[in-house]
Amino acid sequence: MSDTSAIEWCDATWNWVMGCTKVSPACVNCYAEVSTPSRTMGIEWGDQAERRVARNATFNAPLKWNKKPWVCDRCGWFTNDIDNAHVCIGTGPGGFHRRRVFSLSLGDWLDNKIPVSVLARALNIVRLCPNLNFLLLTKRPQLFFSRMSNVAIYRDIAGKPVIDVDWVNAWACRNEPPPNVWIGTSVEDKQRADERIPELLKIPAKVRFLSCEPLLGPIRLPLTKPKPLYDAEYGDQHEYAEVPNGIDWVIVGGESGPKARPCNIGWVRDIKNQCKAASVPVFVKQLGSIPIIFGVDGPDGCDKLMVCRVSHTKCGNSSEWPEDLRAQEFPNAA
Ligand code: SF4
C-alpha cells in the first residue's frame, strides 16, 4: 500500500493481494515478481502458488483515503475541503481531482487464483469509498462476468454475503457500473489488443482505459467505430460516421528495467496520434529503458538508440522527449 505512488498516472497504489501467473509477453519481465515486497516476503508466482492477502491496515487503507479524497493537481496535497483549500503556488494545471487509486500493481484483480472471498472483500472496500476513483487494471478482462458472478453468490462461514449483492448485480447484470470505478486492460501488442479490447468493451464502466505498456509492437486501436447514417429518402444506410467506441483513456509507455526490450518511439507516436485523431485523452508515461528510432542509421546500420536517458533510466522525463510526444492527459471524470 502506498499513500502516494511513483506511477505518474495515479495518486496511490492499493495492493490488497500479491502474486500472479504470467499470461502474455508483457509478463516476461514482470515488475511485480521482482519487486521489493515480493522478494522480501518470498511471494511465489504461478498457478500453483498461493496469493498473499494484505494485512488489514493495507486492505482497509482506502477507507482512510476516502476521508481526504481531493488531490491538488500541482503538489499532490490531500484535502477533504476544496472550498477552503490553500492556493498552491506549484507548477502544473490548477485545481483538484479525486484521488486515483491504482489496483493492483503487484497482481491482477481478475486473477482467478485469488480466493473469491478476498475479491468480494476488496470490492466491498471499493463500494464503501465513493469519494475515490479506483483504477482497476487487468490482463484478464474475459473473466469479469464469471468472477462477479462468483462474488455475488459467495457466502461467508455464517452464510452471509460479504458485499451488497445488489451492488454487484447492478454492475454486472443491469449495466449500472459504480461511478467510482475505471476499468482498464493492458495491451502490449496487436494480438493482445485484438483479444482483450473486445472483452473490455463488454464490461460496464464509467471510464474504460487501455494501458499500452510495455509497448512491444505497433498497435491499431479501435478508438472509434462506424455508425450507419440513415438516409430518409431511400431508407438506406450507405454512409457512415465514425463515433467513439467506448475507450475513454489510453496510457502508453516503453518497458523499463535491466531486461527491458526496445521500444520504437514510432509506435508510441502512432498511438498518441491515433488518440489525438479520435479525441481520446492520452498519457505518454515513459519511452522505456531502450527507446529506439526505427529506420535511422545507428552504429549497426539499422535502428538507433535514442539518447534521452540523461536523468531517468526509464526515459520518463518528458522534457527529454521529442516535443510532439509530451502528452500527459486524463479523462474528464471527476
Ligand atoms: S498480469 Fe501483471 S502482475 Fe501478473 S504476471 Fe503479468 S505483469 Fe505480472
Side-chain angles (χ1 to χ4, degrees):
M1 165 194 71
S2 178
D3 262 19
T4 56
S5 176
I7 300 171
E8 294 82 349
W9 45 263
C10 68
D11 303 300
T13 49
W14 177 42
N15 284 303
W16 42 273
V17 74
M18 283 186 271
C20 198
T21 300
K22 299 187 179 191
V23 291
S24 70
C27 302
V28 167
N29 300 322
C30 173
Y31 149 81
E33 186 182 22
V34 296
S35 67
T36 304
S38 295
R39 284 187 285 108
T40 53
M41 291 185 215
I43 294 169
E44 293 180 12
W45 246 241
D47 267 350
Q48 305 308 318
E50 271 192 26
R51 306 306 184 232
R52 182 76 58 93
V53 181
R55 292 176 296 119
N56 281 347
T58 299
F59 210 107
N60 298 329
L63 297 171
K64 188 178 72 176
W65 302 338
N66 192 56
K67 294 177 184 161
K68 282 193 177 182
W70 296 102
V71 184
C72 174
D73 292 334
R74 290 176 171 167
C75 70
W77 185 72
F78 303 122
T79 183
N80 62 347
D81 182 6
I82 47 177
D83 291 334
N84 296 305
H86 70 313
V87 177
C88 180
I89 56 169
T91 56
F96 288 84
H97 61 269
R98 280 181 201 279
R99 198 185 302 223
R100 292 184 281 259
V101 178
F102 169 40
S103 188
L104 301 164
S105 71
L106 299 178
D108 185 328
W109 75 284
L110 287 178
D111 169 16
N112 57 10
K113 297 298 169 188
I114 297 173
V116 67
S117 58
V118 178
L119 177 59
R121 267 182 72 202
L123 290 176
N124 198 40
I125 298 288
V126 171
R127 185 183 72 83
L128 293 171
C129 296
N131 299 332
L132 306 174
N133 281 329
F134 287 88
L135 282 60
L136 306 184
L137 182 64
T138 182
K139 290 186 176 70
R140 299 159 167 90
Q142 75 281 7
L143 297 183
F144 173 80
F145 290 101
S146 63
R147 294 295 282 167
M148 294 299 272
S149 164
N150 291 341
V151 166
I153 61 175
Y154 175 77
R155 298 296 180 269
D156 67 13
I157 200 161
K160 293 182 181 168
V162 298
I163 186 170
D164 179 350
V165 174
D166 193 57
W167 183 87
V168 179
N169 287 337
W171 183 1
C173 305
R174 300 203 302 271
N175 198 21
E176 296 168 13
N180 63 334
V181 177
W182 304 6
I183 298 287
T185 195
S186 303
V187 292
E188 66 266 35
D189 58 18
K190 180 182 183 309
Q191 181 182 334
R192 264 40 68 167
D194 291 347
E195 290 169 358
R196 292 179 189 153
I197 294 175
E199 298 296 331
L200 176 75
L201 293 174
K202 292 176 191 168
I203 300 176
K206 180 181 179 195
V207 173
R208 293 191 197 89
F209 67 99
L210 301 175
S211 173
C212 305
E213 188 193 3
L215 189 61
L216 300 178
I219 309 177
R220 179 116 317 250
L221 299 174
L223 300 176
T224 60
K225 61 184 175 185
K227 180 183 175 201
L229 296 175
Y230 185 72
D231 187 311
E233 188 174 354
Y234 300 106
D236 196 3
Q237 297 182 342
H238 58 275
E239 286 190 33
Y240 294 83
E242 287 296 316
V243 297
N245 195 18
I247 297 168
D248 305 295
W249 187 37
V250 174
I251 301 162
V252 59
E255 189 166 36
S256 55
K259 297 181 183 170
R261 290 157 282 186
C263 178
N264 181 340
I265 68 161
W267 305 334
V268 177
R269 176 174 285 119
D270 183 44
I271 285 181
K272 184 233 146 190
N273 289 343
Q274 290 178 52
C275 291
K276 288 290 167 199
S279 299
V280 172
V282 59
F283 193 104
V284 181
K285 179 172 167 251
Q286 63 192 43
L287 302 186
S289 297
I290 309 183
I292 57 170
I293 304 175
F294 182 71
V296 175
D297 284 346
D300 55 357
C302 52
D303 299 340
K304 178 181 175 186
L305 187 65
M306 186 178 164
V307 180
C308 73
R309 289 175 291 161
V310 181
S311 61
H312 218 283
T313 55
K314 60 183 185 180
C315 202
N317 182 350
S318 60
S319 69
E320 296 176 350
W321 305 347
E323 206 161 318
D324 68 307
L325 295 179
R326 297 176 199 167
Q328 295 195 321
E329 302 161 340
F330 290 94
N332 284 329

